[in-house]
């Protein structure tokens, strides 16, 4: 599991997550911070994207450029994963975007699916699953199951705040999926919220508190 999980430990990311946690942070700032953190994490999560060489003519001479060869699919888990899409799209404008709609049942904390639409060539693509919160891991593990059932093979998960319980659950259910976390928090509380966490990410992102 150690090679599978990457915690960012980067001062810029730590700083921005600390503001994100603050209950006084406005919806507007929250959205902007999620964008900025996803952008910084995107740099790490795309570090091993395959490249191909092609000739490029600069104003000075001919050279060989390296270009991303594998197509990418971004798959946000609705709702809160939507907050990370624009950042990744600005890094990889040619990426296609699939959507998986899941919510946690308030009593059982189990994920309930309500939407799934993925690119038809999902099996060919490097897939980045996006969700700012990895709590019990139920939503992420279910989303990855859906993607695999529809042919997805090369999958990474990006989350901003994770609980140790969620990291363990996803790592056990999907040992082939690398997990990129902004930070790993202390624990889950009795309502399966991450402690210290930031509360309900979807509500804070969309102002539905
Ligand atoms: C949140 C979050 C994750 C999920 C994490 O979504 O965005 O998808 O909870 O919890 P888990 O790891 O225990 O499954 P939520 O269910 O609140 O739905 P929402 O984004 O529509 O508010
Ligand atoms: N979902 C959230 O949005 N926050 C948590 O702490 C746990 C699940």
């Amino acid at each position: 599991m150690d090679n599978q999980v990457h915690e960012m430990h980067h001062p810029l990311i730590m700083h921005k997550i600390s503001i994100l946690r603050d209950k006084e942070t406005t919806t507007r700032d929250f959205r902007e911070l999620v964008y900025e953190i996803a952008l910084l994490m995107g740099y790490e999560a795309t570090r091993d994207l395959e490249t191909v060489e092609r000739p490029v003519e600069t104003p000075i001479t001919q050279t060989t450029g390296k270009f991303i060869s594998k197509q990418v699919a971004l798959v946000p888990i609705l709702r809160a994963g939507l907050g990370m899409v624009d950042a990744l799209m600005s890094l990889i404008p040619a990426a296609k975007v699939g959507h998986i709609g899941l919510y946690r049942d308030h009593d059982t904390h189990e994920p309930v699916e309500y939407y799934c639409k993925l690119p038809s060539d999902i099996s060919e693509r490097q897939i980045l699953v996006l969700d700012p919160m990895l709590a019990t891991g139920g939503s992420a593990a279910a989303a990855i199951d859906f993607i695999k059932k529809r042919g997805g093979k090369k999958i990474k998960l990006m989350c901003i705040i994770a609980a140790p319980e969620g990291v363990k659950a996803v790592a056990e259910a999907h040992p082939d999926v690398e997990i990129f976390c902004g930070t790993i928090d202390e624990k889950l509380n009795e309502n399966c919220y991450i402690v210290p966490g930031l509360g309900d990410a979807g509500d804070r992102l969309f102002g539905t508190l």
Side-chain angles (χ1 to χ4, degrees):
M1 175 165 136
D2 285 351
N3 295 337
Q4 193 188 349
V5 182
H6 309 274
E7 192 178 358
M8 297 294 109
H9 298 298
H10 190 292
L12 284 174
I13 295 178
M14 293 300 97
H15 177 88
K16 290 176 192 296
I17 289 178
S18 301
I19 306 174
L20 206 57
R21 291 186 192 282
D22 189 331
K23 64 179 183 181
E24 303 300 336
T25 295
T26 63
T27 299
R28 183 186 171 161
D29 288 346
F30 192 92
R31 217 176 283 141
E32 209 165 292
L33 286 158
V34 167
Y35 174 94
E36 290 169 358
I37 295 164
L39 195 66
L40 292 165
M41 290 183 63
Y43 180 79
E44 278 304 321
T46 54
R47 186 177 279 285
D48 64 354
L49 275 185
E50 290 161 31
T51 56
V52 284
E53 295 190 342
R54 283 207 301 268
V56 177
E57 193 154 344
T58 80
I60 311 298
T61 186
Q62 278 275 120
T63 187
T64 304
K66 290 189 176 185
F67 297 86
I68 293 168
S69 62
K70 196 157 183 91
Q71 305 279 30
V72 174
L74 308 174
V75 182
I77 301 178
L78 307 181
R79 290 175 297 168
L82 289 174
M84 300 170 74
V85 173
D86 284 356
L88 272 301
M89 281 298 270
S90 68
L91 293 176
I92 315 162
K96 287 191 179 174
V97 184
H99 294 86
I100 294 184
L102 290 172
Y103 68 87
R104 291 199 318 177
D105 181 276
H106 274 288
D107 299 319
T108 64
H109 310 302
E110 290 292 321
V112 181
E113 183 199 359
Y114 60 89
Y115 189 77
C116 184
K117 178 84 182 172
L118 301 175
S120 53
D121 58 355
I122 193 79
S123 60
E124 311 299 321
R125 293 179 175 263
Q126 168 65 61
I127 301 158
L128 296 175
V129 177
L130 311 176
D131 193 330
M133 308 305 277
L134 180 64
T136 63
S139 304
I144 295 167
D145 275 337
F146 294 142
I147 293 169
K148 286 183 173 172
K149 280 194 188 115
R150 286 163 177 82
K153 292 181 189 80
K154 254 196 127 200
I155 306 171
K156 295 182 185 191
L157 170 66
M158 291 176 62
C159 53
I160 294 178
I161 299 186
E165 296 89 332
V167 173
K168 186 164 179 285
V170 174
E172 283 176 4
H174 299 288
D176 54 318
V177 172
E178 273 184 277
I179 306 170
F180 293 80
C181 315
T183 190
I184 300 176
D185 272 7
E186 197 187 319
K187 60 177 182 182
L188 295 176
N189 69 12
E190 59 286 1
N191 295 317
C192 292
Y193 271 81
I194 301 174
V195 180
L198 50 70
D200 187 308
D203 283 345
R204 296 200 61 190
L205 195 60
F206 295 109
T208 49
L209 283 169

